Amino acid sequence: MSIPLKNRVTILVLGLTLSFSSIINAQVDSNAKTLFDQFSQSVYQVRVLEKQSRTKAAIGSGFFASSQGLLVSNYHVVAPYVQEPDKYALEVVNQENNRLPMDVIAVDVINDLALLKPTTILSKRLAIPLSHQLPVKGEEIYSLGNPHDLGFTVVEGTFNGYVAKAFYSRLLFTGPINPGMSGGPVLNRQGELVGVNVATAGNELGFLVPLEKIRALLNKAQLNHIDDFTSLQKQIIQQVYKNESLFMQALYQKKWPEKNLGKAQVIGEIAPFISCWGDAQNDDERLIKSVYTRCRSEGSMFLSPRLSTGSVEYEFHFVYTTRLNSHQFYQWYSNRIRHMSAGNRATKTDVSSFVCHEDIVNKEGAYKSVFCSRQYHNFPLLYDVLFVTASLDRYQEGVISHFALGGVTKKNGIRFAQDFMRYSRWKP
């Protein structure tokens, strides 16, 4: 049976397309295999061991990035060892299960990086070279690591440039980064380092620490070698305080934009790294109707598995009713105010209990305000601040405003609350 010319052309084009696709996939697979074969001896599993049981308490990945034998990983991988060296030990393990005890000699908690150095003299290790530039957006890149303690793998993905709305600089990687790969290297097609695995949002959305942050830490470590935990803790404290200053400056770089919310006037996205979302719940069956908006910064700074900081979130609710009397509405309204909470993760091991102060503020109407703060134990200049203000001058409608700041000085927390109050009010 003969095939019509049109169909033959279609089949030919389809065949060429599939052949071209097969060639491309073969090239990708070949490149991934080449990179894995070339650098698998440079990539290690990083293990935090509980000393008494000698079992793994935390795992991640790391890689040699210096001819001096310096190994790069994430700070969050080695944090238990840095914070409790009497309880934990640190080692790295290669594919042949050869173990090397390690020390942490430098950290960058803002960018979630750590530099490790073997406690014994090593024969020369193959260091992964640093690229001179980032890939072109859309270019294939390759993530290496040890996911879920299953063995060393290489993952092919796509480079997507910097994350647009982020205070903490990150690269966006389309590819499955999984737990255990944190701290592993990400290479371009030439086998050069372009970033470090740091986090995932699932659905093949991965995040990398950018190349320039690794380069800066390597250069700084060569100038300022740290060989004891006291110096390391001082370095962490200085970095956390520096981050607070930079974060607050970023919140005030431009005039805060105002927007309408029902009968209220509130603020919108006050910094490039803040996203706002909103909705309305005003169908006829509801006793209380509302229009609200919630805003928060993207990302935070990891200090321990119990504590994250360096973040802000705020929200506004315009609420009203036509079905409740003023007494019923006030009861609901009061209960709503009491359920506001802090936005960042923290425990009593890291912070004190909240201490709160209430006040009635008159500014074009009466407002109840509650200012709460809790102090950090290891960073005594810093506090988590929780602030709530609610209008009191109308019987069946109100404006509830709330913000939470993670890891700021008391002075900066009070300043933010004062400015926040000025922007949260009834429309003129």
Side-chain angles (χ1 to χ4, degrees):
M1 182 177 67
S2 62
I3 301 175
L5 178 60
K6 180 180 179 181
N7 291 348
R8 279 185 282 171
V9 172
T10 302
I11 292 171
L12 177 61
V13 171
L14 179 60
L16 289 173
T17 302
L18 291 174
S19 298
F20 182 72
S21 176
S22 299
I23 292 171
I24 293 297
N25 289 333
Q27 289 175 343
V28 169
D29 292 342
S30 176
N31 204 29
K33 182 180 185 304
T34 299
L35 292 175
F36 187 75
D37 290 343
Q38 183 177 357
F39 293 109
S40 60
Q41 296 302 315
S42 303
V43 182
Y44 282 65
Q45 184 183 58
V46 179
R47 295 177 177 176
V48 177
L49 304 176
E50 198 279 317
K51 285 185 176 180
Q52 294 188 52
S53 64
R54 297 303 295 179
T55 55
K56 291 173 285 190
I59 61 170
S61 299
F63 61 96
F64 282 100
S66 158
S67 58
Q68 289 79 32
L70 299 183
L71 186 137
V72 175
S73 188
N74 287 144
Y75 172 71
H76 78 256
V77 172
V78 302
Y81 169 71
V82 172
Q83 294 163 10
E84 298 183 83
D86 294 334
K87 182 177 180 180
Y88 297 105
L90 186 65
E91 68 177 18
V92 297
V93 184
N94 66 5
Q95 290 188 78
E96 286 75 37
N97 205 36
N98 295 320
R99 304 182 177 202
L100 295 171
M102 304 293 282
D103 282 331
V104 177
I105 65 164
V107 297
D108 177 356
V109 295
I110 297 176
N111 295 295
D112 203 349
L113 291 173
L115 277 185
L116 285 59
K117 189 171 185 178
T119 59
T120 58
I121 298 176
L122 294 178
S123 58
K124 190 173 182 181
R125 297 280 163 172
L126 176 63
I128 296 178
L130 275 61
S131 176
H132 295 293
Q133 59 187 10
L134 291 176
V136 176
K137 193 170 184 179
E139 185 176 324
E140 291 85 6
I141 53 178
Y142 305 87
S143 170
L144 282 71
N146 193 327
H148 294 287
D149 200 18
L150 296 174
F152 289 91
T153 64
V154 57
V155 175
E156 185 265 332
T158 307
F159 178 77
N160 291 286
Y162 285 91
V163 176
K165 298 178 75 68
F167 176 75
Y168 301 95
S169 185
R170 294 289 185 266
L171 300 173
L172 183 58
F173 172 74
T174 305
I177 295 176
N178 289 295
M181 295 182 71
S182 292
V186 182
L187 312 179
N188 60 19
R189 286 178 289 190
Q190 291 73 45
E192 300 168 328
L193 184 76
V194 298
V196 173
N197 301 324
V198 68
T200 179
N203 297 318
E204 296 201 354
L205 287 178
F207 301 96
L208 317 176
V209 181
L211 172 67
E212 71 268 15
K213 306 300 182 183
I214 297 100
R215 193 189 306 278
L217 183 60
L218 286 167
N219 292 337
K220 185 176 180 180
Q222 292 172 358
L223 296 174
N224 302 301
H225 180 78
I226 291 176
D227 54 8
D228 63 84
F229 282 97
T230 301
S231 299
L232 200 61
Q233 293 298 335
K234 288 180 179 178
Q235 185 183 85
I236 292 172
I237 290 171
Q238 291 173 353
Q239 292 174 6
V240 172
Y241 287 157
K242 178 182 178 182
N243 183 74
E244 189 273 346
S245 177
L246 294 174
F247 187 78
M248 293 306 299
Q249 288 177 25
L251 294 180
Y252 282 97
Q253 278 188 346
K254 65 176 184 177
K255 183 180 178 181
W256 290 359
E258 296 183 73
K259 58 183 290 186
N260 293 331
L261 186 75
K263 295 182 180 180
Q265 193 164 5
V266 300
I267 55 174
E269 297 179 356
I270 64 176
F273 51 87
I274 289 176
S275 295
C276 294
W277 305 85
D279 202 352
Q281 298 174 341
N282 53 12
D283 53 277
D284 292 338
E285 295 181 358
R286 288 185 176 273
L287 295 177
I288 304 292
K289 300 180 182 182
S290 68
V291 182
Y292 66 88
T293 180
R294 294 189 178 100
C295 308
R296 65 179 303 162
S297 56
E298 299 295 328
S300 61
M301 183 170 59
F302 176 97
L303 292 181
S304 81
R306 306 174 306 269
L307 178 64
S308 62
T309 190
S311 60
V312 62
E313 63 177 42
Y314 50 92
E315 60 183 75
F316 305 95
H317 295 254
F318 167 63
V319 296
Y320 60 102
T321 183
T322 57
R323 300 178 62 183
L324 299 180
N325 61 41
S326 58
H327 176 73
Q328 292 170 323
F329 176 73
Y330 182 77
Q331 291 296 319
W332 177 91
Y333 196 60
S334 300
N335 186 60
R336 179 73 178 179
I337 295 170
R338 285 194 294 267
H339 283 80
M340 300 298 178
S341 61
N344 62 311
R345 182 176 67 250
T347 69
K348 62 181 181 181
T349 303
D350 303 289
V351 297
S352 66
S353 298
F354 272 113
V355 177
C356 298
H357 301 277
E358 296 186 11
D359 198 5
I360 302 297
V361 179
N362 290 295
K363 62 173 189 75
E364 303 174 5
Y367 292 81
K368 179 180 180 179
S369 67
V370 183
F371 183 94
C372 302
S373 63
R374 61 185 182 190
Q375 189 175 26
Y376 285 31
H377 296 321
N378 295 328
F379 308 93
L381 297 182
L382 299 186
Y383 297 78
D384 288 337
V385 173
L386 174 64
F387 181 78
V388 182
T389 180
S391 63
L392 300 175
D393 57 332
R394 303 193 183 186
Y395 293 111
Q396 290 177 300
E397 59 187 10
V399 179
I400 304 172
S401 306
H402 154 255
F403 78 76
L405 280 169
V408 299
T409 64
K410 182 71 76 68
K411 178 181 178 181
N412 280 335
I414 293 172
R415 176 194 177 190
F416 194 90
Q418 291 171 339
D419 292 337
F420 189 81
M421 280 285 291
R422 283 196 287 269
Y423 282 92
S424 176
R425 60 190 187 276
W426 293 109
K427 283 194 297 188

